[in-house]
Amino acid sequence: MSGTRPTGDGTRPTGDGTRTAGGGTRPAAGDTRPAAGRVRPAGNRARPTPTGAGAPQLHPGAWWLWALGLGTAATRTTNPLLLALLLATSAYVVLACRPHTPWSRSYSAFLHLALAVLAVRLFFVVALGSPVPGTHVILTLPEVPLPDWAQGIRLGGRVTAEGVVFALYDGLRLATLLVCVGAANALASPSRLLKALPGALYEAGVAVVVALTFAPYLIADVQRLRAARRLRGRPDRGLRGLFQVALPVLEGALERSVALAAAMDARGYGRTADVPSRVRRTTAALTLGGLLGVCAGTYGLLTAAGGTYGLPVLVAGVAAALAGLRLGGRRSPRTRYRPDRWTPRACLVAGSGAAVAALLTLAASADPAALHPGVIPLTAPALPLWPAAAVLVGLLPALLPAPASTPPSAPLPKEPSP
């Protein structure tokens, strides 16, 4: 019965001859197993911080402005070499800067979408013909006769190299624009982008953010289910695999939608403040007039006849739209917890995209032949030097030094002993 008798101070000796105050147990020497209910002594402890939580994150608007700048530059040229350089620039920045999050894997989906758009564009040229006349016939398909009311459209016939090259240039421009949007979707957090939107655009922003985040989570569900089927030895390709994977993916999407709706309702989504009718009418008039002014000013800048009034109308439209958004924000009395700041690094990232767009726009007006190579006659496109150097400015986000992490919090003070 040795070692089982309580001592005078209310403690019981343990198996190795040691005892603890308050009825606790102390592990034996060399025992590495975790003791149940063991309480660490109150000492110099530091608060645990999650991995990467101390590093400041870039403003999501900076990534979108950078990507939209590259997309604007893509719309100003059909040179395949410059478009390929824009694709390489966006891909390098995404690989260097994207976080390890579910939405960051959506870049590959946008690449596949761009390839599909390019393939569809080429298919229509082969099947329906091209308005570009050509003399180099690649092949001749059987032509289907059409009625008189369908003049101007043909099915089959001659497929010329000039028409295919023109469609390739045009489709590559659209594909580059889609890839730039995919880069923004992979780099910027949709939830943080929603938090940075003005109050007047909150409802519309939620719809856009939900639409943007649906594709990444859908892709993640498909990859997870295909991996699970491969581990079980079941087919994951073909029509059979597609049908058996589509139903769980659809079920997961519906469950996610119901959970999102419940969370939005619990957080008071859609509730607005009491605003006088006069303010509502003024807000609607300013917002609608501003958007119309932006459209008219943009059209004036893109046409030769409207170059005189395009810029003033565009500036007035932007000012009216911003004023309408400012007034409309009163209907959404929301506060922001830890709002994202526009740091100097974020300004440099957004400025690099704007610089690429501005320089390519100037190059398109100064030397249109270099940025829009002709297809009649067929010639190999040349790479213009200073527009190519302007595209390389978009690599600035990947070359900037990473922001320093916030130092861990100070250790907790020692608790006074009783």
Side-chain angles (χ1 to χ4, degrees):
M1 299 296 293
S2 177
T4 60
R5 185 176 54 188
T7 59
D9 57 355
T11 60
R12 178 171 296 176
T14 59
D16 61 341
T18 61
R19 62 185 180 183
T20 59
T25 58
R26 182 179 300 171
D31 189 5
T32 59
R33 294 175 299 173
R38 184 190 306 173
V39 179
R40 293 179 181 270
N44 212 9
R45 293 180 297 175
R47 293 185 180 94
T49 56
T51 304
Q57 297 181 352
L58 203 65
H59 196 285
W63 286 124
W64 273 99
L65 289 176
W66 170 82
L68 291 178
L70 264 63
T72 304
T75 61
R76 309 307 299 173
T77 179
T78 56
N79 192 320
L81 300 179
L82 289 177
L83 293 174
L85 193 59
L86 283 169
L87 289 173
T89 299
S90 66
Y92 182 80
V93 173
V94 167
L95 291 177
C97 302
R98 66 176 176 181
H100 296 286
T101 52
W103 64 82
S104 64
R105 292 178 293 202
S106 62
Y107 185 73
S108 60
F110 279 90
L111 285 176
H112 289 87
L113 179 61
L115 292 176
V117 167
L118 189 60
V120 169
R121 183 71 176 90
L122 293 176
F123 171 76
F124 279 134
V125 169
V126 173
L128 303 178
S130 174
V132 178
T135 57
H136 298 79
V137 180
I138 301 177
L139 71 155
T140 303
L141 298 176
E143 188 170 355
V144 179
L146 296 176
D148 295 337
W149 55 267
Q151 293 296 327
I153 303 175
R154 67 171 179 84
L155 293 177
R158 298 191 310 164
V159 180
T160 61
E162 288 84 356
V164 172
V165 171
F166 178 79
L168 179 63
Y169 290 174
D170 193 50
L172 187 59
R173 177 169 57 179
L174 181 57
T176 305
L177 181 59
L178 289 174
V179 170
C180 292
V181 174
N185 195 25
L187 292 169
S189 170
S191 58
R192 292 175 56 235
L193 180 64
L194 175 64
K195 186 174 66 173
L197 285 177
L201 297 178
Y202 186 79
E203 284 79 8
V206 168
V208 174
V209 167
V210 170
L212 289 177
T213 54
F214 178 76
Y217 284 104
L218 186 66
I219 295 169
D221 288 344
V222 171
Q223 293 176 349
R224 176 176 55 83
L225 290 172
R226 291 183 62 185
R229 290 184 62 83
R230 284 195 298 267
L231 289 175
R232 292 179 175 91
R234 298 177 181 176
D236 61 324
R237 298 182 181 274
L239 292 178
R240 182 180 177 184
L242 177 63
F243 289 147
Q244 294 182 355
V245 168
L247 185 59
V249 169
L250 180 61
E251 183 182 357
L254 292 176
E255 291 179 354
R256 192 178 296 115
S257 301
V258 172
L260 177 62
M264 291 167 65
D265 182 69
R267 287 167 174 81
Y269 173 75
R271 301 173 188 175
T272 58
D274 294 331
V275 179
S277 59
R278 175 176 52 84
V279 177
R280 289 199 300 268
R281 288 193 294 267
T282 305
T283 300
L286 286 174
T287 305
L288 182 60
L291 293 178
L292 291 176
V294 169
C295 295
T298 305
Y299 176 78
L301 291 177
L302 294 177
T303 58
T308 56
Y309 69 85
L311 185 59
V313 172
L314 179 61
V315 173
V318 170
L322 291 178
L325 293 178
R326 179 74 176 178
L327 288 177
R330 297 182 180 181
R331 298 184 58 203
S332 178
R334 293 179 175 88
T335 57
R336 298 175 181 174
Y337 177 68
R338 292 182 179 178
D340 294 310
R341 306 292 183 183
W342 278 92
T343 59
R345 186 169 181 264
C347 295
L348 287 176
V349 170
S352 64
V356 174
L359 292 175
L360 262 293
T361 303
L362 291 176
S365 60
D367 191 6
L371 270 70
H372 298 278
V375 295
I376 301 174
L378 279 175
T379 56
L383 180 64
L385 294 181
W386 76 270
V391 172
L392 295 179
V393 177
L395 291 173
L396 183 62
L399 302 179
L400 290 175
S405 301
T406 305
S409 56
L412 295 174
K414 294 183 178 180
E415 298 178 1
S417 56

